[in-house]
Structures are given as C-alpha cells and as structure tokens.
Amino acid sequence: MAASSTLPKLIQDPRYTDFVKRYAYNLPLFASEVCGLNLTYQQIEVMESVQNLGSRTSISSGHGTGKTASFGLIVLWHLTCYYNSVTAVIAPKVEQVRKQVFKEVALSLNRMKKGNFAWVAEQVELNVTDINIKDAKQYWHVLAKTAPKNEPENLAGLHADYLLVIADEASGIEDTHFGVLTGSLTDQRNRMVLASQPTRNTGFFYETHHKLSIPFGGAWNNIALNSELSPIVSLAFLKEKKLQY
C-alpha cells in the first residue's frame, strides 16, 4: 500500500469511512442527507436500481421527469462514495454531457457545500471536460465522452473496479458503440445506466426494454418515466403537448 502521504486528502479524512458505509449503497439517502434533495417517486425508482453493484438500468423517459438531475446526482454519488472509481458520461455529442449532466453535478455539489458534508465537496474538482477528486485526477474521476458515428473505438479503454457508464440520449448511439461499452464491464461491481426518449423501435436501447430486459431473462432493469405521472411536470406543459399532436 502506498504511504499515507501519497493518498488523496479525502481518503485520509477519518470521517470518510463512515460516509462510505452510510451512502455507498443508499442513493436516496445520499440525495436527501448529503445534497438536501427531495426526490420524486420516479427518481427514487431509478436510484434504487442504480445503487446495486453490477446493476444494468435502462430508462425510457418523457420530458421533465428529473432524469438529467438524477444523472447529476448519481455521478456525484459514485465519484465521492467509491475510491478509485471511474465514471464515464456518454452522449452522441459531448456538449450534451457538459451543458446538461455536468451542470446538474455542479448544482448538487453546490448544495453539498452548504451542508454537513462540505468537507467532501471541497475535495471535488469540477472542470469543463472532467470532474475529479483532488490529488487523484489520473485515476479517480468523471469523464465526458462522445459517441461519434462509425467511431466506436472512441469509447475503448474504460476499465476500473468501480466503473459506472452512463449513456444519455442512448437511442441515438450506434449499436457498435454499445458493444465496446458493455465489453468494458469486466468486473462484477461495474454498473451501466442508459436513458433516452423512446424514439426508435430497433437497436440496443430498444432491446434493453424487451428481449434484454429482466422479464425476458436478460440483465437490464427497464424503467419508464411517464411525464404525465411526474409530480414535477406542470399541467400547462402537458396540455400544450397534447395540443401539438
């Protein structure tokens, strides 16, 4: 084991062990106590699926369900609760990750700084292209990755004991990319989360809600977030959408 002087400050903090024990397997509790957030029942369903080691979660989501906010929270949870973890957030365009998911990470981090766990938040360094734990940038971090067409090799090389892969707008990501990503999940502790609007009836994302899903004997826990049932979607928005169709 490396000398303690070479370990990140967060690991050396005597409070960190209790922090991990309390929150590493309880995402809703992390949201409430660490970030001061009240989750909807739909967000709790997502959190309870993701928090399990080795989980595979696929989310079909309408507008305004809090899906992106959930991703920001999940990213911060995985980063702070799992030493030496790697989190990869992927979308068809990297700007989607930086402007949406990373923005939500920043919001949750700011809430964290105002509470009893500011000592953890102070060890998180949020940049435009990545997020990391201070003094551990090379191996304990969050990466924003793009999934360019016909270039699945862009997603190769993701490996860690605690690896979390999040694919946003997953319906727009080519199946060859998912072949690379699922091939990275070599450890039983690795997790993967997909989310998208259900825009296609073919492809890997579609199949995670059908033949690759748990009811069909597969590994994927498929969750549907219905805008009409979301407590954070306004009636005015729903009425407007209905008038458009």
Short mmCIF file of all heavy atoms in Angstrom, two decimals, residues 159-186:
data_model
loop_
_atom_site.label_atom_id
_atom_site.label_comp_id
_atom_site.label_asym_id
_atom_site.label_seq_id
_atom_site.Cartn_x
_atom_site.Cartn_y
_atom_site.Cartn_z
N HIS A 159 -11.88 1.05 -17.94
CA HIS A 159 -11.80 -0.09 -17.02
C HIS A 159 -11.51 0.43 -15.62
O HIS A 159 -10.71 1.34 -15.42
CB HIS A 159 -10.69 -1.06 -17.44
CG HIS A 159 -10.96 -1.75 -18.73
ND1 HIS A 159 -11.90 -2.76 -18.85
CD2 HIS A 159 -10.44 -1.57 -19.96
CE1 HIS A 159 -11.94 -3.17 -20.11
NE2 HIS A 159 -11.06 -2.47 -20.80
N ALA A 160 -12.17 -0.16 -14.64
CA ALA A 160 -11.93 0.16 -13.23
C ALA A 160 -12.70 -0.84 -12.38
O ALA A 160 -13.68 -1.44 -12.84
CB ALA A 160 -12.39 1.58 -12.90
N ASP A 161 -12.25 -1.03 -11.14
CA ASP A 161 -13.00 -1.90 -10.23
C ASP A 161 -14.41 -1.35 -10.05
O ASP A 161 -15.39 -2.08 -10.07
CB ASP A 161 -12.30 -1.99 -8.88
CG ASP A 161 -10.99 -2.76 -8.95
OD1 ASP A 161 -10.78 -3.47 -9.96
OD2 ASP A 161 -10.18 -2.63 -8.03
N TYR A 162 -14.48 -0.04 -9.85
CA TYR A 162 -15.77 0.64 -9.74
C TYR A 162 -15.93 1.54 -10.96
O TYR A 162 -15.51 2.70 -10.96
CB TYR A 162 -15.85 1.45 -8.44
CG TYR A 162 -15.86 0.57 -7.21
CD1 TYR A 162 -14.74 0.48 -6.40
CD2 TYR A 162 -17.00 -0.17 -6.87
CE1 TYR A 162 -14.74 -0.34 -5.27
CE2 TYR A 162 -17.01 -0.99 -5.75
CZ TYR A 162 -15.89 -1.07 -4.96
OH TYR A 162 -15.90 -1.87 -3.85
N LEU A 163 -16.52 0.98 -11.98
CA LEU A 163 -16.78 1.71 -13.23
C LEU A 163 -18.28 1.91 -13.37
O LEU A 163 -19.07 0.97 -13.22
CB LEU A 163 -16.25 0.91 -14.42
CG LEU A 163 -16.62 1.45 -15.82
CD1 LEU A 163 -16.00 2.82 -16.07
CD2 LEU A 163 -16.20 0.45 -16.90
N LEU A 164 -18.67 3.14 -13.63
CA LEU A 164 -20.06 3.47 -13.93
C LEU A 164 -20.11 4.11 -15.31
O LEU A 164 -19.45 5.12 -15.55
CB LEU A 164 -20.64 4.42 -12.89
CG LEU A 164 -22.00 5.04 -13.21
CD1 LEU A 164 -23.09 3.97 -13.32
CD2 LEU A 164 -22.38 6.10 -12.17
N VAL A 165 -20.89 3.51 -16.21
CA VAL A 165 -21.08 4.06 -17.55
C VAL A 165 -22.50 4.58 -17.65
O VAL A 165 -23.46 3.84 -17.40
CB VAL A 165 -20.84 2.98 -18.64
CG1 VAL A 165 -21.15 3.56 -20.02
CG2 VAL A 165 -19.40 2.49 -18.58
N ILE A 166 -22.63 5.85 -17.98
CA ILE A 166 -23.94 6.47 -18.18
C ILE A 166 -24.04 6.91 -19.63
O ILE A 166 -23.21 7.67 -20.11
CB ILE A 166 -24.14 7.69 -17.26
CG1 ILE A 166 -24.11 7.25 -15.79
CG2 ILE A 166 -25.44 8.41 -17.59
CD1 ILE A 166 -24.23 8.41 -14.81
N ALA A 167 -25.05 6.43 -20.33
CA ALA A 167 -25.26 6.82 -21.73
C ALA A 167 -26.57 7.59 -21.84
O ALA A 167 -27.65 7.02 -21.66
CB ALA A 167 -25.29 5.59 -22.63
N ASP A 168 -26.46 8.89 -22.10
CA ASP A 168 -27.64 9.73 -22.26
C ASP A 168 -28.01 9.80 -23.73
O ASP A 168 -27.16 9.64 -24.61
CB ASP A 168 -27.36 11.12 -21.71
CG ASP A 168 -28.62 11.89 -21.38
OD1 ASP A 168 -29.72 11.30 -21.46
OD2 ASP A 168 -28.52 13.06 -21.01
N GLU A 169 -29.28 10.04 -24.02
CA GLU A 169 -29.79 10.02 -25.39
C GLU A 169 -29.36 8.71 -26.07
O GLU A 169 -28.89 8.69 -27.21
CB GLU A 169 -29.29 11.23 -26.18
CG GLU A 169 -29.60 12.56 -25.55
CD GLU A 169 -31.10 12.82 -25.40
OE1 GLU A 169 -31.88 12.21 -26.15
OE2 GLU A 169 -31.48 13.62 -24.53
N ALA A 170 -29.53 7.61 -25.34
CA ALA A 170 -28.99 6.32 -25.77
C ALA A 170 -29.58 5.80 -27.06
O ALA A 170 -28.95 5.03 -27.79
CB ALA A 170 -29.18 5.29 -24.66
N SER A 171 -30.80 6.20 -27.37
CA SER A 171 -31.43 5.75 -28.61
C SER A 171 -30.69 6.25 -29.83
O SER A 171 -30.78 5.65 -30.91
CB SER A 171 -32.89 6.22 -28.65
OG SER A 171 -33.56 5.71 -29.77
N GLY A 172 -29.93 7.34 -29.68
CA GLY A 172 -29.17 7.91 -30.79
C GLY A 172 -27.74 7.42 -30.88
O GLY A 172 -26.96 7.91 -31.71
N ILE A 173 -27.36 6.46 -30.03
CA ILE A 173 -26.00 5.91 -30.04
C ILE A 173 -26.00 4.59 -30.81
O ILE A 173 -26.86 3.74 -30.59
CB ILE A 173 -25.48 5.70 -28.61
CG1 ILE A 173 -25.38 7.06 -27.89
CG2 ILE A 173 -24.13 5.01 -28.61
CD1 ILE A 173 -24.97 6.96 -26.44
N GLU A 174 -25.04 4.43 -31.70
CA GLU A 174 -24.99 3.23 -32.54
C GLU A 174 -24.71 1.97 -31.73
O GLU A 174 -24.01 2.00 -30.71
CB GLU A 174 -23.90 3.40 -33.60
CG GLU A 174 -24.18 4.53 -34.60
CD GLU A 174 -23.02 4.73 -35.56
OE1 GLU A 174 -21.91 4.25 -35.27
OE2 GLU A 174 -23.24 5.37 -36.60
N ASP A 175 -25.24 0.86 -32.20
CA ASP A 175 -25.08 -0.41 -31.50
C ASP A 175 -23.62 -0.82 -31.37
O ASP A 175 -23.25 -1.47 -30.37
CB ASP A 175 -25.86 -1.51 -32.22
CG ASP A 175 -27.37 -1.39 -32.01
OD1 ASP A 175 -27.79 -0.42 -31.34
OD2 ASP A 175 -28.11 -2.24 -32.51
N THR A 176 -22.79 -0.49 -32.34
CA THR A 176 -21.37 -0.84 -32.26
C THR A 176 -20.70 -0.20 -31.05
O THR A 176 -19.79 -0.79 -30.45
CB THR A 176 -20.63 -0.43 -33.54
OG1 THR A 176 -20.90 0.95 -33.81
CG2 THR A 176 -21.06 -1.28 -34.72
N HIS A 177 -21.15 0.99 -30.68
CA HIS A 177 -20.62 1.66 -29.50
C HIS A 177 -20.99 0.89 -28.23
O HIS A 177 -20.18 0.77 -27.32
CB HIS A 177 -21.14 3.09 -29.41
CG HIS A 177 -20.63 4.00 -30.49
ND1 HIS A 177 -21.09 3.94 -31.77
CD2 HIS A 177 -19.70 5.00 -30.46
CE1 HIS A 177 -20.47 4.85 -32.50
NE2 HIS A 177 -19.62 5.51 -31.72
N PHE A 178 -22.21 0.37 -28.20
CA PHE A 178 -22.62 -0.38 -27.02
C PHE A 178 -21.86 -1.69 -26.91
O PHE A 178 -21.66 -2.20 -25.80
CB PHE A 178 -24.13 -0.63 -27.06
CG PHE A 178 -24.94 0.59 -26.73
CD1 PHE A 178 -25.78 1.15 -27.67
CD2 PHE A 178 -24.85 1.18 -25.49
CE1 PHE A 178 -26.52 2.28 -27.38
CE2 PHE A 178 -25.59 2.32 -25.18
CZ PHE A 178 -26.43 2.87 -26.13
N GLY A 179 -21.43 -2.24 -28.03
CA GLY A 179 -20.59 -3.42 -27.98
C GLY A 179 -19.29 -3.14 -27.25
O GLY A 179 -18.82 -3.96 -26.44
N VAL A 180 -18.70 -1.97 -27.51
CA VAL A 180 -17.47 -1.57 -26.84
C VAL A 180 -17.73 -1.30 -25.36
O VAL A 180 -16.98 -1.74 -24.48
CB VAL A 180 -16.86 -0.33 -27.51
CG1 VAL A 180 -15.66 0.19 -26.71
CG2 VAL A 180 -16.44 -0.64 -28.94
N LEU A 181 -18.81 -0.59 -25.07
CA LEU A 181 -19.11 -0.20 -23.69
C LEU A 181 -19.42 -1.41 -22.81
O LEU A 181 -18.89 -1.52 -21.70
CB LEU A 181 -20.29 0.77 -23.67
CG LEU A 181 -20.01 2.16 -24.27
CD1 LEU A 181 -21.30 2.95 -24.37
CD2 LEU A 181 -18.98 2.91 -23.43
N THR A 182 -20.27 -2.29 -23.29
CA THR A 182 -20.60 -3.47 -22.48
C THR A 182 -19.38 -4.38 -22.32
O THR A 182 -19.25 -5.09 -21.31
CB THR A 182 -21.77 -4.26 -23.08
OG1 THR A 182 -21.47 -4.61 -24.44
CG2 THR A 182 -23.05 -3.44 -23.04
N GLY A 183 -18.47 -4.35 -23.29
CA GLY A 183 -17.24 -5.12 -23.19
C GLY A 183 -16.29 -4.58 -22.13
O GLY A 183 -15.37 -5.28 -21.71
N SER A 184 -16.54 -3.34 -21.69
CA SER A 184 -15.71 -2.74 -20.64
C SER A 184 -16.14 -3.17 -19.24
O SER A 184 -15.40 -2.98 -18.27
CB SER A 184 -15.78 -1.21 -20.73
OG SER A 184 -15.29 -0.75 -21.97
N LEU A 185 -17.33 -3.75 -19.13
CA LEU A 185 -17.89 -4.08 -17.82
C LEU A 185 -17.39 -5.45 -17.36
O LEU A 185 -18.15 -6.41 -17.22
CB LEU A 185 -19.42 -4.05 -17.89
CG LEU A 185 -20.03 -2.76 -18.44
CD1 LEU A 185 -21.54 -2.90 -18.59
CD2 LEU A 185 -19.69 -1.56 -17.55
N THR A 186 -16.11 -5.53 -17.11
CA THR A 186 -15.48 -6.81 -16.84
C THR A 186 -15.50 -7.20 -15.37
O THR A 186 -15.22 -8.35 -15.03
CB THR A 186 -14.01 -6.78 -17.32
OG1 THR A 186 -13.33 -5.69 -16.69
CG2 THR A 186 -13.95 -6.61 -18.83
#
